[in-house]
Amino acid sequence: MPDIPVTVVALLCLAALAAGWIDAVVGGGGLLLLPALLLGLPAATPAAYALGTNKAISIVGTSGAALTYVRKAPVDTGTAVRIGLAAVAGSSVGAFFAAGMSTDVLKPVIMVVLLGVAAFVILRPGFGRVPAAGPVGRRRRLAAIGLAGLGIGCYDGLIGPGTGTFLVLALTAVLRLDLVTASATAKIVNCCTNGGALAMFAWQGTVLWRFAALLAVFNLAGGTLGARTALKQGSGFVRIVLLTVVLALVANLAYGQWVA
């Protein structure tokens, strides 16, 4: 366990709880938890330990949310797992190219895309409220594997922030899911990507396991509660949280690009 004051540990536990809730509803919990770990861990701690510990925490909350969703939402588990496996491959490719690419070039593009997404969701109040009638065709499933799996998986390995939110948007648009079912499907995909990333961090020895276990309890509680909240409140509530997270992500990227 790292030497951290009790008050800081308590604040990190609250951050893990809130991050689990946000991530379960619409993705983007890492926007809260990872910066909290970077600030809360001792100054001499390498950033890789914050990244590895974050994955060990978030996979627990994501798994709890996924189980809650699967029990009560009409999730196509087979399709979700296929997208997840494609995302593992995509994130590996993204991580491979990340070392030689400047993300400062990509961040403004991502911000413009996110602002466009926010405008689209605001101007289309019916987006993601009701699922499409009838079964989803094979072409749309393959498109989802390509876009949500390989494409967003590559983004996750290359840059990372907001991956869960992008997954929800892509699954809603391509598979014509309602936002609640899209969030549920995204959790299964996230379990696959987090598992692959955690295995790499564990192999490198950059996970603070006992510290992660403590925060994972709170993240699990937040994830389970978030999934139940989304299921109870419905797609209209998820839409509001989605817009909030998208705008927070834009602000986060803008701050990192031009202020920090």
Side-chain angles (χ1 to χ4, degrees), residues 78-94:
T79 299
V81 170
R82 291 186 185 95
I83 295 171
L85 293 175
V88 171
S91 63
S92 300
V93 173

Side-chain angles (χ1 to χ4, degrees), residues 151-177:
I152 296 177
C154 184
Y155 167 82
D156 191 21
L158 195 63
I159 302 177
T163 297
T165 306
F166 278 125
L167 281 172
V168 172
L169 290 166
L171 293 169
T172 303
V174 177
L175 296 180
R176 296 179 178 176
L177 303 175

Side-chain angles (χ1 to χ4, degrees), residues 114-135:
L114 283 170
L115 288 172
V117 165
F120 176 81
V121 174
I122 291 171
L123 295 173
R124 295 284 298 274
F127 178 73
R129 286 186 178 272
V130 181

